[in-house]
PDB file of all heavy atoms in Angstrom:
ATOM      1  N   ILE B  65     -10.848   9.658  11.762  1.00 95.00           N
ATOM      2  CA  ILE B  65     -10.979   8.724  12.876  1.00 95.00           C
ATOM      3  C   ILE B  65      -9.724   8.819  13.727  1.00 95.00           C
ATOM      4  O   ILE B  65      -8.616   8.891  13.197  1.00 95.00           O
ATOM      5  CB  ILE B  65     -11.090   7.280  12.329  1.00 95.00           C
ATOM      6  CG1 ILE B  65     -12.371   7.104  11.517  1.00 95.00           C
ATOM      7  CG2 ILE B  65     -11.010   6.255  13.449  1.00 95.00           C
ATOM      8  CD1 ILE B  65     -13.634   7.222  12.319  1.00 95.00           C
ATOM      9  N   VAL B  89      -5.227  -0.182   9.140  1.00 93.00           N
ATOM     10  CA  VAL B  89      -6.383   0.621   9.542  1.00 93.00           C
ATOM     11  C   VAL B  89      -6.514   1.835   8.631  1.00 93.00           C
ATOM     12  O   VAL B  89      -7.589   2.123   8.095  1.00 93.00           O
ATOM     13  CB  VAL B  89      -6.242   1.088  11.004  1.00 93.00           C
ATOM     14  CG1 VAL B  89      -7.343   2.078  11.350  1.00 93.00           C
ATOM     15  CG2 VAL B  89      -6.293  -0.095  11.952  1.00 93.00           C
ATOM     16  N   GLU B  92      -7.743   0.858   5.191  1.00 91.00           N
ATOM     17  CA  GLU B  92      -9.156   0.491   5.152  1.00 91.00           C
ATOM     18  C   GLU B  92     -10.044   1.734   5.312  1.00 91.00           C
ATOM     19  O   GLU B  92     -11.046   1.882   4.616  1.00 91.00           O
ATOM     20  CB  GLU B  92      -9.447  -0.514   6.270  1.00 91.00           C
ATOM     21  CG  GLU B  92     -10.818  -1.132   6.213  1.00 91.00           C
ATOM     22  CD  GLU B  92     -10.943  -2.137   5.066  1.00 91.00           C
ATOM     23  OE1 GLU B  92      -9.902  -2.631   4.594  1.00 91.00           O
ATOM     24  OE2 GLU B  92     -12.080  -2.403   4.648  1.00 91.00           O
ATOM     25  N   LEU B  93      -9.664   2.606   6.212  1.00 91.00           N
ATOM     26  CA  LEU B  93     -10.432   3.834   6.396  1.00 91.00           C
ATOM     27  C   LEU B  93     -10.338   4.709   5.153  1.00 91.00           C
ATOM     28  O   LEU B  93     -11.298   5.367   4.770  1.00 91.00           O
ATOM     29  CB  LEU B  93      -9.917   4.608   7.609  1.00 91.00           C
ATOM     30  CG  LEU B  93     -10.160   3.973   8.967  1.00 91.00           C
ATOM     31  CD1 LEU B  93      -9.521   4.827  10.062  1.00 91.00           C
ATOM     32  CD2 LEU B  93     -11.650   3.821   9.240  1.00 91.00           C
ATOM     33  N   ALA B 122     -13.159   6.507  17.280  1.00 97.00           N
ATOM     34  CA  ALA B 122     -11.764   6.283  17.644  1.00 97.00           C
ATOM     35  C   ALA B 122     -11.485   4.810  17.880  1.00 97.00           C
ATOM     36  O   ALA B 122     -12.384   4.028  18.194  1.00 97.00           O
ATOM     37  CB  ALA B 122     -11.397   7.090  18.879  1.00 97.00           C
ATOM     38  N   ILE B 123     -10.217   4.476  17.697  1.00 97.00           N
ATOM     39  CA  ILE B 123      -9.736   3.140  18.005  1.00 97.00           C
ATOM     40  C   ILE B 123      -8.751   3.264  19.151  1.00 97.00           C
ATOM     41  O   ILE B 123      -7.809   4.052  19.068  1.00 97.00           O
ATOM     42  CB  ILE B 123      -9.042   2.520  16.783  1.00 97.00           C
ATOM     43  CG1 ILE B 123     -10.068   2.266  15.678  1.00 97.00           C
ATOM     44  CG2 ILE B 123      -8.331   1.229  17.165  1.00 97.00           C
ATOM     45  CD1 ILE B 123      -9.456   1.752  14.393  1.00 97.00           C
ATOM     46  N   PRO B 143     -18.066   6.683  18.992  1.00 96.00           N
ATOM     47  CA  PRO B 143     -17.974   5.274  18.642  1.00 96.00           C
ATOM     48  C   PRO B 143     -16.539   4.819  18.884  1.00 96.00           C
ATOM     49  O   PRO B 143     -15.602   5.498  18.467  1.00 96.00           O
ATOM     50  CB  PRO B 143     -18.303   5.250  17.151  1.00 96.00           C
ATOM     51  CG  PRO B 143     -19.085   6.492  16.906  1.00 96.00           C
ATOM     52  CD  PRO B 143     -18.558   7.504  17.877  1.00 96.00           C
ATOM     53  N   LEU B 144     -16.385   3.700  19.571  1.00 97.00           N
ATOM     54  CA  LEU B 144     -15.057   3.311  20.022  1.00 97.00           C
ATOM     55  C   LEU B 144     -14.851   1.817  19.828  1.00 97.00           C
ATOM     56  O   LEU B 144     -15.713   1.018  20.149  1.00 97.00           O
ATOM     57  CB  LEU B 144     -14.948   3.672  21.504  1.00 97.00           C
ATOM     58  CG  LEU B 144     -13.658   4.186  22.121  1.00 97.00           C
ATOM     59  CD1 LEU B 144     -12.966   5.194  21.234  1.00 97.00           C
ATOM     60  CD2 LEU B 144     -13.963   4.802  23.478  1.00 97.00           C
ATOM     61  N   VAL B 145     -13.693   1.472  19.286  1.00 97.00           N
ATOM     62  CA  VAL B 145     -13.325   0.067  19.156  1.00 97.00           C
ATOM     63  C   VAL B 145     -12.029  -0.156  19.914  1.00 97.00           C
ATOM     64  O   VAL B 145     -11.106   0.652  19.816  1.00 97.00           O
ATOM     65  CB  VAL B 145     -13.154  -0.326  17.668  1.00 97.00           C
ATOM     66  CG1 VAL B 145     -12.505  -1.690  17.542  1.00 97.00           C
ATOM     67  CG2 VAL B 145     -14.504  -0.325  16.961  1.00 97.00           C
ATOM     68  N   TYR B 146     -11.992  -1.237  20.668  1.00 97.00           N
ATOM     69  CA  TYR B 146     -10.817  -1.534  21.487  1.00 97.00           C
ATOM     70  C   TYR B 146     -10.023  -2.656  20.847  1.00 97.00           C
ATOM     71  O   TYR B 146     -10.571  -3.715  20.559  1.00 97.00           O
ATOM     72  CB  TYR B 146     -11.240  -1.964  22.890  1.00 97.00           C
ATOM     73  CG  TYR B 146     -12.013  -0.904  23.640  1.00 97.00           C
ATOM     74  CD1 TYR B 146     -13.365  -0.693  23.385  1.00 97.00           C
ATOM     75  CD2 TYR B 146     -11.400  -0.099  24.585  1.00 97.00           C
ATOM     76  CE1 TYR B 146     -14.077   0.293  24.054  1.00 97.00           C
ATOM     77  CE2 TYR B 146     -12.107   0.885  25.265  1.00 97.00           C
ATOM     78  CZ  TYR B 146     -13.442   1.073  24.995  1.00 97.00           C
ATOM     79  OH  TYR B 146     -14.146   2.044  25.647  1.00 97.00           O
ATOM     80  N   VAL B 147      -8.739  -2.430  20.646  1.00 95.00           N
ATOM     81  CA  VAL B 147      -7.912  -3.435  19.999  1.00 95.00           C
ATOM     82  C   VAL B 147      -6.776  -3.875  20.928  1.00 95.00           C
ATOM     83  O   VAL B 147      -6.099  -3.029  21.520  1.00 95.00           O
ATOM     84  CB  VAL B 147      -7.314  -2.895  18.684  1.00 95.00           C
ATOM     85  CG1 VAL B 147      -6.410  -3.928  18.041  1.00 95.00           C
ATOM     86  CG2 VAL B 147      -8.436  -2.498  17.734  1.00 95.00           C
ATOM     87  N   GLU B 155     -18.623  -3.416  24.983  1.00 96.00           N
ATOM     88  CA  GLU B 155     -17.958  -2.662  23.929  1.00 96.00           C
ATOM     89  C   GLU B 155     -17.312  -3.609  22.927  1.00 96.00           C
ATOM     90  O   GLU B 155     -17.083  -4.780  23.222  1.00 96.00           O
ATOM     91  CB  GLU B 155     -16.900  -1.741  24.534  1.00 96.00           C
ATOM     92  CG  GLU B 155     -17.471  -0.702  25.470  1.00 96.00           C
ATOM     93  CD  GLU B 155     -18.381   0.276  24.734  1.00 96.00           C
ATOM     94  OE1 GLU B 155     -17.922   0.849  23.734  1.00 96.00           O
ATOM     95  OE2 GLU B 155     -19.542   0.432  25.148  1.00 96.00           O
ATOM     96  N   VAL B 156     -16.994  -3.080  21.769  1.00 97.00           N
ATOM     97  CA  VAL B 156     -16.424  -3.900  20.710  1.00 97.00           C
ATOM     98  C   VAL B 156     -14.920  -4.067  20.910  1.00 97.00           C
ATOM     99  O   VAL B 156     -14.190  -3.088  20.978  1.00 97.00           O
ATOM    100  CB  VAL B 156     -16.683  -3.264  19.335  1.00 97.00           C
ATOM    101  CG1 VAL B 156     -16.086  -4.132  18.239  1.00 97.00           C
ATOM    102  CG2 VAL B 156     -18.175  -3.070  19.123  1.00 97.00           C
ATOM    103  N   ALA B 157     -14.494  -5.309  21.014  1.00 97.00           N
ATOM    104  CA  ALA B 157     -13.072  -5.583  21.183  1.00 97.00           C
ATOM    105  C   ALA B 157     -12.567  -6.465  20.057  1.00 97.00           C
ATOM    106  O   ALA B 157     -13.212  -7.443  19.685  1.00 97.00           O
ATOM    107  CB  ALA B 157     -12.822  -6.260  22.525  1.00 97.00           C
ATOM    108  N   ILE B 158     -11.424  -6.102  19.504  1.00 97.00           N
ATOM    109  CA  ILE B 158     -10.761  -6.935  18.508  1.00 97.00           C
ATOM    110  C   ILE B 158      -9.443  -7.394  19.124  1.00 97.00           C
ATOM    111  O   ILE B 158      -8.619  -6.568  19.522  1.00 97.00           O
ATOM    112  CB  ILE B 158     -10.451  -6.136  17.218  1.00 97.00           C
ATOM    113  CG1 ILE B 158     -11.694  -5.431  16.691  1.00 97.00           C
ATOM    114  CG2 ILE B 158      -9.822  -7.042  16.174  1.00 97.00           C
ATOM    115  CD1 ILE B 158     -12.698  -6.322  16.033  1.00 97.00           C
ATOM    116  N   ALA B 309      -5.271  -8.236   8.880  1.00 96.00           N
ATOM    117  CA  ALA B 309      -6.660  -8.614   9.147  1.00 96.00           C
ATOM    118  C   ALA B 309      -7.169  -7.926  10.410  1.00 96.00           C
ATOM    119  O   ALA B 309      -8.309  -7.474  10.474  1.00 96.00           O
ATOM    120  CB  ALA B 309      -6.772 -10.129   9.292  1.00 96.00           C
ATOM    121  N   LYS B 310      -6.293  -7.836  11.384  1.00 97.00           N
ATOM    122  CA  LYS B 310      -6.683  -7.176  12.640  1.00 97.00           C
ATOM    123  C   LYS B 310      -7.029  -5.716  12.372  1.00 97.00           C
ATOM    124  O   LYS B 310      -8.047  -5.213  12.857  1.00 97.00           O
ATOM    125  CB  LYS B 310      -5.537  -7.299  13.653  1.00 97.00           C
ATOM    126  CG  LYS B 310      -5.909  -6.926  15.059  1.00 97.00           C
ATOM    127  CD  LYS B 310      -4.835  -7.366  16.051  1.00 97.00           C
ATOM    128  CE  LYS B 310      -3.555  -6.555  15.906  1.00 97.00           C
ATOM    129  NZ  LYS B 310      -2.529  -6.943  16.891  1.00 97.00           N
ATOM    130  N   GLY B 311      -6.187  -5.071  11.604  1.00 96.00           N
ATOM    131  CA  GLY B 311      -6.432  -3.671  11.270  1.00 96.00           C
ATOM    132  C   GLY B 311      -7.722  -3.497  10.490  1.00 96.00           C
ATOM    133  O   GLY B 311      -8.525  -2.611  10.779  1.00 96.00           O
ATOM    134  N   ARG B 312      -7.908  -4.365   9.515  1.00 96.00           N
ATOM    135  CA  ARG B 312      -9.129  -4.257   8.719  1.00 96.00           C
ATOM    136  C   ARG B 312     -10.359  -4.502   9.571  1.00 96.00           C
ATOM    137  O   ARG B 312     -11.361  -3.804   9.466  1.00 96.00           O
ATOM    138  CB  ARG B 312      -9.099  -5.254   7.561  1.00 96.00           C
ATOM    139  CG  ARG B 312      -8.178  -4.849   6.416  1.00 96.00           C
ATOM    140  CD  ARG B 312      -8.495  -5.679   5.169  1.00 96.00           C
ATOM    141  NE  ARG B 312      -8.415  -7.104   5.429  1.00 96.00           N
ATOM    142  CZ  ARG B 312      -7.308  -7.826   5.345  1.00 96.00           C
ATOM    143  NH1 ARG B 312      -6.166  -7.234   5.006  1.00 96.00           N
ATOM    144  NH2 ARG B 312      -7.313  -9.112   5.593  1.00 96.00           N
ATOM    145  N   ALA B 313     -10.268  -5.501  10.431  1.00 97.00           N
ATOM    146  CA  ALA B 313     -11.413  -5.822  11.293  1.00 97.00           C
ATOM    147  C   ALA B 313     -11.758  -4.643  12.189  1.00 97.00           C
ATOM    148  O   ALA B 313     -12.930  -4.289  12.356  1.00 97.00           O
ATOM    149  CB  ALA B 313     -11.105  -7.064  12.133  1.00 97.00           C
ATOM    150  N   ALA B 314     -10.729  -4.027  12.750  1.00 98.00           N
ATOM    151  CA  ALA B 314     -10.969  -2.889  13.639  1.00 98.00           C
ATOM    152  C   ALA B 314     -11.603  -1.737  12.873  1.00 98.00           C
ATOM    153  O   ALA B 314     -12.581  -1.131  13.322  1.00 98.00           O
ATOM    154  CB  ALA B 314      -9.657  -2.443  14.279  1.00 98.00           C
ATOM    155  N   ALA B 315     -11.043  -1.461  11.705  1.00 97.00           N
ATOM    156  CA  ALA B 315     -11.564  -0.344  10.915  1.00 97.00           C
ATOM    157  C   ALA B 315     -13.007  -0.605  10.509  1.00 97.00           C
ATOM    158  O   ALA B 315     -13.868   0.261  10.626  1.00 97.00           O
ATOM    159  CB  ALA B 315     -10.691  -0.129   9.682  1.00 97.00           C
ATOM    160  N   ARG B 316     -13.262  -1.824  10.077  1.00 96.00           N
ATOM    161  CA  ARG B 316     -14.616  -2.117   9.623  1.00 96.00           C
ATOM    162  C   ARG B 316     -15.615  -2.077  10.770  1.00 96.00           C
ATOM    163  O   ARG B 316     -16.737  -1.579  10.609  1.00 96.00           O
ATOM    164  CB  ARG B 316     -14.647  -3.476   8.934  1.00 96.00           C
ATOM    165  CG  ARG B 316     -14.143  -3.375   7.506  1.00 96.00           C
ATOM    166  CD  ARG B 316     -14.762  -4.474   6.676  1.00 96.00           C
ATOM    167  NE  ARG B 316     -13.929  -5.655   6.757  1.00 96.00           N
ATOM    168  CZ  ARG B 316     -13.092  -6.045   5.793  1.00 96.00           C
ATOM    169  NH1 ARG B 316     -12.987  -5.321   4.690  1.00 96.00           N
ATOM    170  NH2 ARG B 316     -12.373  -7.120   5.922  1.00 96.00           N
ATOM    171  N   ALA B 317     -15.214  -2.579  11.903  1.00 97.00           N
ATOM    172  CA  ALA B 317     -16.119  -2.536  13.053  1.00 97.00           C
ATOM    173  C   ALA B 317     -16.432  -1.089  13.405  1.00 97.00           C
ATOM    174  O   ALA B 317     -17.587  -0.723  13.670  1.00 97.00           O
ATOM    175  CB  ALA B 317     -15.491  -3.246  14.251  1.00 97.00           C
ATOM    176  N   LEU B 318     -15.405  -0.268  13.358  1.00 97.00           N
ATOM    177  CA  LEU B 318     -15.621   1.130  13.704  1.00 97.00           C
ATOM    178  C   LEU B 318     -16.516   1.816  12.674  1.00 97.00           C
ATOM    179  O   LEU B 318     -17.409   2.585  13.027  1.00 97.00           O
ATOM    180  CB  LEU B 318     -14.285   1.863  13.816  1.00 97.00           C
ATOM    181  CG  LEU B 318     -14.409   3.297  14.337  1.00 97.00           C
ATOM    182  CD1 LEU B 318     -15.147   3.314  15.666  1.00 97.00           C
ATOM    183  CD2 LEU B 318     -13.046   3.917  14.484  1.00 97.00           C
ATOM    184  N   LEU B 319     -16.285   1.515  11.420  1.00 95.00           N
ATOM    185  CA  LEU B 319     -17.125   2.110  10.377  1.00 95.00           C
ATOM    186  C   LEU B 319     -18.587   1.740  10.595  1.00 95.00           C
ATOM    187  O   LEU B 319     -19.486   2.556  10.407  1.00 95.00           O
ATOM    188  CB  LEU B 319     -16.662   1.641   8.991  1.00 95.00           C
ATOM    189  CG  LEU B 319     -15.340   2.240   8.506  1.00 95.00           C
ATOM    190  CD1 LEU B 319     -14.883   1.575   7.212  1.00 95.00           C
ATOM    191  CD2 LEU B 319     -15.485   3.738   8.298  1.00 95.00           C
ATOM    192  N   ARG B 320     -18.798   0.510  11.024  1.00 95.00           N
ATOM    193  CA  ARG B 320     -20.182   0.103  11.262  1.00 95.00           C
ATOM    194  C   ARG B 320     -20.769   0.815  12.475  1.00 95.00           C
ATOM    195  O   ARG B 320     -21.948   1.166  12.494  1.00 95.00           O
ATOM    196  CB  ARG B 320     -20.256  -1.412  11.441  1.00 95.00           C
ATOM    197  CG  ARG B 320     -20.124  -2.145  10.106  1.00 95.00           C
ATOM    198  CD  ARG B 320     -20.177  -3.633  10.273  1.00 95.00           C
ATOM    199  NE  ARG B 320     -21.421  -4.089  10.894  1.00 95.00           N
ATOM    200  CZ  ARG B 320     -21.610  -5.315  11.352  1.00 95.00           C
ATOM    201  NH1 ARG B 320     -20.620  -6.201  11.250  1.00 95.00           N
ATOM    202  NH2 ARG B 320     -22.751  -5.663  11.892  1.00 95.00           N
ATOM    203  N   LEU B 321     -19.942   1.007  13.488  1.00 95.00           N
ATOM    204  CA  LEU B 321     -20.430   1.751  14.657  1.00 95.00           C
ATOM    205  C   LEU B 321     -20.812   3.173  14.266  1.00 95.00           C
ATOM    206  O   LEU B 321     -21.846   3.696  14.677  1.00 95.00           O
ATOM    207  CB  LEU B 321     -19.346   1.814  15.738  1.00 95.00           C
ATOM    208  CG  LEU B 321     -19.188   0.625  16.667  1.00 95.00           C
ATOM    209  CD1 LEU B 321     -18.087   0.900  17.674  1.00 95.00           C
ATOM    210  CD2 LEU B 321     -20.494   0.336  17.392  1.00 95.00           C
ATOM    211  N   VAL B 322     -19.957   3.778  13.471  1.00 94.00           N
ATOM    212  CA  VAL B 322     -20.216   5.153  13.049  1.00 94.00           C
ATOM    213  C   VAL B 322     -21.496   5.208  12.224  1.00 94.00           C
ATOM    214  O   VAL B 322     -22.344   6.071  12.433  1.00 94.00           O
ATOM    215  CB  VAL B 322     -19.026   5.713  12.237  1.00 94.00           C
ATOM    216  CG1 VAL B 322     -19.378   7.056  11.622  1.00 94.00           C
ATOM    217  CG2 VAL B 322     -17.800   5.835  13.122  1.00 94.00           C
ATOM    218  N   ALA B 323     -21.624   4.260  11.304  1.00 91.00           N
ATOM    219  CA  ALA B 323     -22.829   4.231  10.482  1.00 91.00           C
ATOM    220  C   ALA B 323     -24.063   4.011  11.347  1.00 91.00           C
ATOM    221  O   ALA B 323     -25.133   4.558  11.081  1.00 91.00           O
ATOM    222  CB  ALA B 323     -22.712   3.140   9.425  1.00 91.00           C
ATOM    223  N   GLY B 324     -23.901   3.225  12.394  1.00 91.00           N
ATOM    224  CA  GLY B 324     -25.019   2.936  13.281  1.00 91.00           C
ATOM    225  C   GLY B 324     -25.537   4.163  14.009  1.00 91.00           C
ATOM    226  O   GLY B 324     -26.699   4.229  14.397  1.00 91.00           O
ATOM    227  N   ARG B 325     -24.665   5.130  14.180  1.00 86.00           N
ATOM    228  CA  ARG B 325     -25.108   6.361  14.834  1.00 86.00           C
ATOM    229  C   ARG B 325     -26.145   7.085  13.988  1.00 86.00           C
ATOM    230  O   ARG B 325     -27.065   7.709  14.484  1.00 86.00           O
ATOM    231  CB  ARG B 325     -23.919   7.304  15.060  1.00 86.00           C
ATOM    232  CG  ARG B 325     -22.978   6.868  16.143  1.00 86.00           C
ATOM    233  CD  ARG B 325     -23.695   6.892  17.479  1.00 86.00           C
ATOM    234  NE  ARG B 325     -22.896   6.220  18.489  1.00 86.00           N
ATOM    235  CZ  ARG B 325     -22.118   6.854  19.360  1.00 86.00           C
ATOM    236  NH1 ARG B 325     -22.039   8.160  19.332  1.00 86.00           N
ATOM    237  NH2 ARG B 325     -21.432   6.179  20.245  1.00 86.00           N
ATOM    238  N   SER B 331     -27.210  -3.164  12.279  1.00 85.00           N
ATOM    239  CA  SER B 331     -26.789  -4.055  13.346  1.00 85.00           C
ATOM    240  C   SER B 331     -25.472  -3.579  13.940  1.00 85.00           C
ATOM    241  O   SER B 331     -24.643  -2.965  13.269  1.00 85.00           O
ATOM    242  CB  SER B 331     -26.620  -5.472  12.798  1.00 85.00           C
ATOM    243  OG  SER B 331     -25.542  -5.502  11.888  1.00 85.00           O
ATOM    244  N   VAL B 332     -25.301  -3.885  15.198  1.00 88.00           N
ATOM    245  CA  VAL B 332     -24.086  -3.484  15.902  1.00 88.00           C
ATOM    246  C   VAL B 332     -23.001  -4.533  15.658  1.00 88.00           C
ATOM    247  O   VAL B 332     -23.277  -5.726  15.717  1.00 88.00           O
ATOM    248  CB  VAL B 332     -24.380  -3.377  17.410  1.00 88.00           C
ATOM    249  CG1 VAL B 332     -23.128  -2.977  18.165  1.00 88.00           C
ATOM    250  CG2 VAL B 332     -25.495  -2.381  17.654  1.00 88.00           C
ATOM    251  N   PRO B 333     -21.795  -4.094  15.343  1.00 92.00           N
ATOM    252  CA  PRO B 333     -20.732  -5.079  15.123  1.00 92.00           C
ATOM    253  C   PRO B 333     -20.372  -5.783  16.418  1.00 92.00           C
ATOM    254  O   PRO B 333     -20.550  -5.248  17.502  1.00 92.00           O
ATOM    255  CB  PRO B 333     -19.569  -4.236  14.627  1.00 92.00           C
ATOM    256  CG  PRO B 333     -19.815  -2.877  15.184  1.00 92.00           C
ATOM    257  CD  PRO B 333     -21.308  -2.722  15.212  1.00 92.00           C
ATOM    258  N   ARG B 334     -19.884  -6.993  16.287  1.00 92.00           N
ATOM    259  CA  ARG B 334     -19.470  -7.725  17.478  1.00 92.00           C
ATOM    260  C   ARG B 334     -17.957  -7.802  17.537  1.00 92.00           C
ATOM    261  O   ARG B 334     -17.279  -7.690  16.526  1.00 92.00           O
ATOM    262  CB  ARG B 334     -20.055  -9.137  17.435  1.00 92.00           C
ATOM    263  CG  ARG B 334     -21.575  -9.107  17.412  1.00 92.00           C
ATOM    264  CD  ARG B 334     -22.128 -10.500  17.478  1.00 92.00           C
ATOM    265  NE  ARG B 334     -21.454 -11.298  18.499  1.00 92.00           N
ATOM    266  CZ  ARG B 334     -21.796 -12.533  18.815  1.00 92.00           C
ATOM    267  NH1 ARG B 334     -22.799 -13.098  18.185  1.00 92.00           N
ATOM    268  NH2 ARG B 334     -21.134 -13.202  19.736  1.00 92.00           N
ATOM    269  N   GLY B 335     -17.460  -7.997  18.717  1.00 94.00           N
ATOM    270  CA  GLY B 335     -16.024  -8.146  18.862  1.00 94.00           C
ATOM    271  C   GLY B 335     -15.554  -9.419  18.191  1.00 94.00           C
ATOM    272  O   GLY B 335     -16.352 -10.312  17.894  1.00 94.00           O
ATOM    273  N   ARG B 336     -14.259  -9.486  17.930  1.00 96.00           N
ATOM    274  CA  ARG B 336     -13.725 -10.707  17.317  1.00 96.00           C
ATOM    275  C   ARG B 336     -12.402 -11.059  17.959  1.00 96.00           C
ATOM    276  O   ARG B 336     -11.638 -10.192  18.365  1.00 96.00           O
ATOM    277  CB  ARG B 336     -13.504 -10.495  15.825  1.00 96.00           C
ATOM    278  CG  ARG B 336     -14.775 -10.389  15.034  1.00 96.00           C
ATOM    279  CD  ARG B 336     -14.466 -10.232  13.562  1.00 96.00           C
ATOM    280  NE  ARG B 336     -13.685 -11.355  13.060  1.00 96.00           N
ATOM    281  CZ  ARG B 336     -13.110 -11.379  11.857  1.00 96.00           C
ATOM    282  NH1 ARG B 336     -13.217 -10.329  11.066  1.00 96.00           N
ATOM    283  NH2 ARG B 336     -12.423 -12.427  11.460  1.00 96.00           N
TER     284      ARG B 336
END
Side-chain angles (χ1 to χ4, degrees):
Chain B
I65 295 294
V89 172
E92 189 72 21
L93 292 177
I123 293 176
L144 216 42
V145 169
Y146 299 79
V147 178
E155 298 295 307
V156 180
I158 308 286
K310 192 167 70 178
R312 285 195 304 273
R316 280 207 272 257
L318 187 55
L319 288 173
R320 284 179 59 192
L321 278 181
V322 171
R325 287 295 168 99
S331 67
V332 179
R334 299 184 45 176
R336 290 182 59 190

